[in-house]
Amino acid sequence: MSFDAAAYDAFYRSSVDDPQSFWATQAQRIDWHKPYRKTLDYDKPPFAKWFVDGETNLCYNAVDRHLATRADQPALVAISTETDTEATYTYAQLHTEVNRSAAMMQALGVKQGDRVLIYMPMVAEAAFAMLACARIGAVHSVVFGGFASTSLATRIDDATPLLIISADAGSRGCHVTAYKCMLDEAIALAEHKPAHVLMLDRGLAAMKTVAGRDVDYATLRKQHMDAAVPVTWLESNAPSYILYTSGTTGKPKGVLRDVGGYAVALATSMDLIFCGKAGETFFCTSDIGWVVGHSYIIYGPLLAGMTTILYEGLPIRPDASIWWSIVEKYKVTRMSSAPTAIRVLKKQPLELLQKHDLSSLKALYLAGEPLDQTTSDWIANVLGVPVIDNYWQTETGWPIISVAKGVGDKPTRSGSPGLPMYGYKAKIINEDTGEECTANEKGVVVIEGPLPPGCLQTLYGDDQRFVSTYWRNFKRVAYSTFDWGIRDADGYYFILGRTDDVINVAGHRLGTREIEESISSHGNVSEVAVVGVENPVKGQCAVAFVILKNAAAAANPDDAKKLEAEIMKVVDQRLGPIARPSHVYFVSALPKTRSGKLVRRAIQAICEGRDPGELSVIEDPAALQQIRTAIEANEKNTCP
Ligand code: AMP
């Protein structure tokens, strides 16, 4: 393949002009048990079915398929700087562990199509469980270990899992978070009750066992040491997993993904975007609770026959050289992380990076939030490798916009994640007219259907919500990313932030409504508004403005501090520390429209020292002044 800059343009055109033949070619990257009959069925837009009637299996393609050629090659390296452990599993060993895990699930009654909720820290057993589900056709739903009981309960009720797999605790920066009590609380809150809870005891926290429901992981594993569980061949459009993501309502959206399309999309992206080669090592620093972890810690690298690193711990503990020591030790060739992490590392002494031999590393990929120029330049300079921004979402499963260095040598452009990736008919449109914007004109980033393989098929159990949320926002029917953007004259995209009330904290998406709902559960809260405020390290952080039922409770600074701490604790307990606002301000009015809708955009502008814009929509402009005064009085509108 020639690597000139123009090569990509032709490649891209072929992917959108004739998606059927384009994706038929890419589908050869994976093994099919039964060939598909039709590459794409788009008879019922916006529902796209890829590789109709083909039968395959994600676990087979990620694990079994490699046994003939790379059984002794490391497949998974699980490193924890929290428990000071490091374990390597070859493809043969991974295969054995996945078979054991699959047999354990079957022993607990899990069958094809059943949901298995995985609420686990970054341990190898979590990877085994995901792959085991894929093997037997069970649908996994991984819930980020940082989420607390209320978040977990909503997900349990939506996914109605037969089985939940969890561990006694997770640990972050040596701070142990006991999972079991949060899980028990979540199950108590949820209407749906799982038949079984499989508990991995890491020896980090005490656990109370519920008789008849809870099962000890180690004991059950011992009964299945020689397990050989046959692969369940699945129709390409069978569900593989549900992954919840924040939206504008308090109810999370269960992104549902297929089997065949996802396998093909990931295998293709591993080659063309991430340039990962079998036998090399991929290090994605995300968490299995996020889409990046699903796609580029577990499935993508394994589909590509690479060694993948699963890392539990902070990037700065025991010191900020930890990630670089992993790169050196395991000869990582491709690393994927988030801008926030790089901004954290940038504050650390440079020697910690420079003392390592990083010559194996060929590129660094950053995603999840806007990549600022300073961070990008700094890391590109110190590593001496290309830094590739990639823009995507939980919904798409793989990058929408980036530069595909595996196709052509398109240069990166400062401040831009790049160009639409093959398969995505991305456009910037005017939200009122539905017309395509001209170069450098701001609009909404949309994708015209059919979405390429790997993207969400629907929202779990709610086709109606899938259509009404993503496809009905403009005069022209297209999938909305809910991001503002512009496209320059050369076709490079620039992402300008969300169009909805979703904020991005350290690369993680949080709905302001979810945080507001949890704050409202505090007995003294009458009304609340939460906005995302710019932050130099985390990108954004949540800030809350609260109207109290009894304002006297925050009449003096000490009382206000106490109440602020109480409210933060409520958020920690219900949603998890990830959603905790950096500040809680007490006010007596909030800016609203005449119809009573909160004008969060104006609050956010004031928090960021910007002009709040058109005030005529606001019923009571004095409310804005109160917000201004509260911030000035506290002088603390930054994250700790
Ligand atoms: P999530 O679904 O949690 O991965 O969040 C997706 C959202 O994160 C996108 O809709 C964007 O708002 C933001 N995002 C992800 N990657 C990038 C990027 N490379 N540049 C700018 N924003 C990004």
Side-chain angles (χ1 to χ4, degrees), residues 245-246 290-292 339 366-371 389-395 400-401 417 481-483 495-498 502 504 507-510:
T245 189
S246 297
W290 311 119
V291 68
V292 190
L366 296 175
E369 56 181 309
L371 173 60
D389 190 355
N390 50 113
Y391 159 83
W392 50 298
Q393 313 182 300
T394 307
E395 288 84 347
I400 308 166
I401 294 172
T481 62
F482 295 98
D483 282 307
I495 305 299
L496 306 174
R498 299 281 305 187
V502 165
N504 192 316
H508 306 312
R509 199 160 123 183
L510 297 167

Side-chain angles (χ1 to χ4, degrees), residues 160-210:
T160 60
L162 182 102
L163 171 70
I164 297 183
I165 308 184
S166 188
D168 56 340
S171 176
R172 199 168 157 73
C174 275
H175 172 76
V176 171
T177 305
Y179 282 14
K180 182 62 166 51
C181 42
M182 282 197 287
L183 178 57
D184 285 342
E185 205 177 297
I187 296 174
L189 284 171
E191 272 175 37
H192 172 81
K193 311 292 173 198
H196 289 291
V197 173
L198 183 59
M199 292 302 307
L200 174 74
D201 190 353
R202 309 174 75 197
L204 295 178
M207 291 192 279
K208 271 199 202 129
T209 302
V210 176

Side-chain angles (χ1 to χ4, degrees), residues 246-252 465 500-503 510-521 527-532 542 574-575 579 596-598 600:
S246 297
T248 43
T249 67
K251 190 176 186 286
R465 190 177 179 203
D500 58 6
D501 292 323
V502 165
I503 62 175
L510 297 167
T512 50
R513 283 291 308 146
E514 285 172 277
I515 307 177
E516 285 168 1
E517 277 175 20
S518 73
I519 291 178
S520 296
S521 71
E527 267 188 77
V528 54
V530 169
V531 294
R574 293 178 69 94
L575 298 181
K597 200 169 181 288
L598 266 173
R600 294 193 187 80

